[in-house]
Amino acid sequence: MLNTLSGRFLILTTVFVMLAEVLIFVPSIARFRQDYLEDRLERAQIASLALLADDMIESDLERELLENAGVYNVVLRRDEMRQLVLSSPIPRPIGGTFDLRDAGAFTLIGDAMMRLATPQNDIIRVIGAPVRDAGLLIEITMETGPLRMTMIDYGLRILVLSAVISVLTAVLLFIAVRMVLVKPIKGVIGYMQRYAAAPEDARGIITPKAGVIELREAEEALQKLQTELTHALKQRERLAQLGGAVAKISHDLRNILTSAQLFTDRIEMSEDPLVRRLAPKLVNSITRAVSLCEGTLAFGRAEEPAPTFSRVCLSEIVDDIAESENLVASDVMVEIVNAVPLPTMIRCDKEQIFRVIMNLVRNARQAIIATGRDGRITVSLREQDDAWWILVTDNGPGLPKKAQDNLFTPFQGGARKGGSGLGLAIAAELVKGHGGQLSLGATGPDGTVFEICLPKGDGAV
């Protein structure tokens, strides 16, 4: 019971209703005591009328009048004269005097609580105003035992009634909470359990139908989460299948390239100056292709290999990229400018940074070629105390809105028709492996700037 929402609500409701009834009980019992004393004063006043009508009454009649009024003595003050109207022997000394004429609420409550807490039968004097202004005041002497017993009886009846009201209210609220809150929450939990058992089953996605605003918002949030997760799982499954196919292709391609590597020695022995000059580039390209295939196979098994850090010359990497890209024939002239100052050395994995910059330069070159106008791509470096910033700037047409929204998302961030969007996603992952960050600095009709931030220390940027 204590571990359920409805059970706790039932207990709290009972406690709070009882607390409210106690707060009602205190002034009620004080009011009851006041009414009781005022009733005794009124009875005493009525009994005194017999003496006022006949100055001499028998002692038996006087004793009967006092017993009916429940008092020992009756004193009236009329015309500034205090008169003992009825009297009888008082068994004990008077223990206190209570004036009801000017008593405030807190005084009455305090006196009532004190009387409940005092078990002994005391003799008290009570002063009040006569009914119908039949004098200045009326004063009686009485016992407190009957008063206390009557107050206890009244209090018990109030407490029993409060308990019945509390239980009835708690039960009704318990039923209401189960219908309005607990049942819809259990429905949401059921959808979550069903979806967890088979997340690929679209029937497990919740349909919001709660009438309570907060529950409706929770159902809508869960529906959005389930929908996105289902799409992500489907995409992940497709990526896994694609990864298996790429792994097979990379395995066969690696064997082919390894065979091609064996023939590069003969090419280097050629007498043709152009062949001798281009042979090292071919060897490096084949070597990188083999490394890429091996890295792809490793990625298919687990993840991108951790970078191997060393001190490298960034300008040489940019020159190598520029020469490789310039070998590609095109009707559009795209100039690749190396603005990295010599002899700047950075700490990174040479092959991975080569792949990152090559990807950015190639994307920029393809974007410029698509416009049919000549362009320029500049690779520069900005050094700070804690990081190196590599900037790849072009004067191409800029990235479309869709590409900006899904820039580093595989299969969604492609900027050109037919592009897969894998290049930037892989580049961002490689830079993140260095503890850095790849970001889009600016894009527009005047060109695009990509920023690569590589930290100088071991901590991430």
Side-chain angles (χ1 to χ4, degrees):
M1 180 68 72
L2 290 176
N3 293 329
T4 62
L5 177 63
S6 55
R8 292 185 178 182
F9 193 84
L10 174 63
I11 295 174
L12 288 176
T13 301
T14 304
V15 171
F16 290 151
V17 172
M18 289 297 295
L19 179 61
E21 293 294 340
V22 169
L23 296 178
I24 296 175
F25 168 79
V26 172
S28 297
I29 200 68
R31 180 65 183 177
F32 178 82
R33 171 182 172 274
Q34 182 183 9
D35 292 341
Y36 183 93
L37 296 178
E38 289 178 349
D39 179 68
R40 291 297 179 272
L41 290 173
E42 184 175 355
R43 289 185 183 184
Q45 182 179 349
I46 294 173
S48 65
L49 293 178
L51 181 62
L52 295 178
D54 188 356
D55 291 339
M56 298 298 294
I57 61 174
E58 297 179 357
S59 59
D60 292 341
L61 177 61
E62 183 178 6
R63 183 172 63 256
E64 184 178 354
L65 291 174
L66 290 174
E67 290 178 355
N68 289 334
V71 299
Y72 288 108
N73 292 326
V74 179
V75 176
L76 284 176
R77 179 175 292 179
R78 302 165 62 97
D79 301 329
E80 300 297 333
M81 183 177 65
R82 187 172 182 272
Q83 179 183 0
L84 180 61
V85 180
L86 299 172
S87 65
S88 64
I90 301 177
R92 292 179 300 279
I94 297 176
T97 301
F98 300 94
D99 192 343
L100 300 182
R101 294 174 299 173
D102 300 323
F106 289 103
T107 301
L108 293 173
I109 291 175
D111 293 341
M113 294 300 102
M114 183 64 69
R115 180 50 50 203
L116 285 176
T118 306
Q120 58 264 28
N121 186 15
D122 296 330
I123 303 297
I124 60 172
R125 180 186 291 113
V126 181
I127 302 172
V131 180
R132 299 183 181 276
D133 297 328
L136 297 177
L137 65 81
I138 183 171
E139 177 183 317
I140 61 175
T141 306
M142 57 177 288
E143 291 182 327
T144 59
L147 169 62
R148 183 172 181 273
M149 294 302 298
T150 308
M151 290 174 63
I152 292 175
D153 180 67
Y154 174 79
L156 290 176
R157 285 187 278 115
I158 290 291
L159 290 178
V160 171
L161 179 62
S162 301
V164 173
I165 294 175
S166 300
V167 172
L168 181 61
T169 304
V171 170
L172 293 177
L173 287 176
F174 175 79
I175 297 174
V177 167
R178 287 192 63 86
M179 297 298 296
V180 177
L181 293 178
V182 177
K183 187 176 180 180
I185 290 175
K186 285 187 175 181
V188 174
I189 294 174
Y191 270 105
M192 295 174 66
Q193 293 173 342
R194 179 180 176 184
Y195 183 80
E200 69 281 353
D201 188 356
R203 295 175 301 174
I205 298 178
I206 189 172
T207 301
K209 55 185 178 181
V212 181
I213 295 178
E214 290 78 4
L215 287 175
R216 181 82 177 196
E217 292 176 350
E219 290 179 346
E220 291 175 351
L222 178 60
Q223 182 189 42
K224 181 179 179 182
L225 175 63
Q226 289 177 332
T227 302
E228 293 178 353
L229 183 57
T230 299
H231 292 166
L233 289 174
K234 290 181 179 179
Q235 186 179 34
R236 182 176 180 179
E237 181 180 358
R238 293 172 183 172
L239 286 174
Q241 296 173 355
L242 178 61
V246 170
K248 295 177 181 179
I249 295 172
S250 298
H251 181 272
D252 295 337
L253 183 59
R254 181 189 60 178
N255 294 336
I256 296 172
L257 292 174
T258 302
S259 300
Q261 237 177 347
L262 300 176
F263 297 101
T264 55
D265 293 336
R266 291 184 176 273
I267 296 177
E268 290 180 339
M269 297 172 59
S270 174
E271 298 297 334
D272 189 336
L274 179 60
V275 174
R276 293 177 63 86
R277 184 171 63 86
L278 296 180
K281 302 296 181 182
L282 178 60
V283 173
N284 292 336
S285 298
I286 294 176
T287 302
R288 290 195 183 95
V290 173
S291 299
L292 179 59
C293 291
E294 292 176 348
T296 303
L297 292 174
F299 179 81
R301 290 191 299 270
E303 57 185 9
E304 193 72 39
T308 303
F309 291 97
S310 62
R311 305 288 293 183
V312 299
C313 180
L314 181 61
S315 181
E316 294 179 0
I317 295 178
V318 177
D319 286 337
D320 203 1
I321 293 173
E323 291 182 11
S324 298
E325 287 296 308
N326 288 332
L327 293 177
V328 181
S330 175
D331 297 334
V332 177
M333 177 62 185
V334 180
E335 181 184 6
I336 301 177
V337 178
N338 183 0
V340 178
L342 284 172
T344 304
M345 306 291 289
I346 65 174
R347 179 177 175 270
C348 66
D349 185 306
K350 182 177 180 180
E351 291 301 323
Q352 291 189 4
I353 293 301
F354 179 92
R355 290 168 57 189
V356 172
I357 300 177
M358 169 69 86
N359 182 280
L360 297 177
V361 170
R362 183 165 295 173
N363 287 347
R365 186 174 180 275
Q366 291 173 349
I368 294 173
I369 291 175
T371 63
R373 301 191 303 269
D374 295 344
R376 172 182 294 183
I377 303 172
T378 303
V379 182
S380 59
L381 178 70
R382 186 174 73 247
E383 186 173 2
Q384 296 180 347
D385 294 338
D386 57 349
W388 294 286
W389 289 82
I390 304 173
L391 308 179
V392 179
T393 309
D394 66 71
N395 59 353
L399 295 175
K401 183 67 168 57
K402 179 181 178 182
Q404 296 180 42
D405 294 338
N406 305 279
L407 198 57
F408 303 111
T409 305
F411 301 105
Q412 297 184 24
R416 60 184 176 85
K417 185 177 180 180
S420 65
L422 284 172
L424 285 177
I426 294 175
E429 182 180 351
L430 293 175
V431 175
K432 188 179 296 184
H434 285 69
Q437 182 179 357
L438 172 61
S439 59
L440 177 64
T443 186
D446 298 331
T448 301
V449 179
F450 276 95
E451 299 177 346
I452 305 170
C453 181
L454 298 178
K456 290 185 176 181
D458 293 333
V461 175

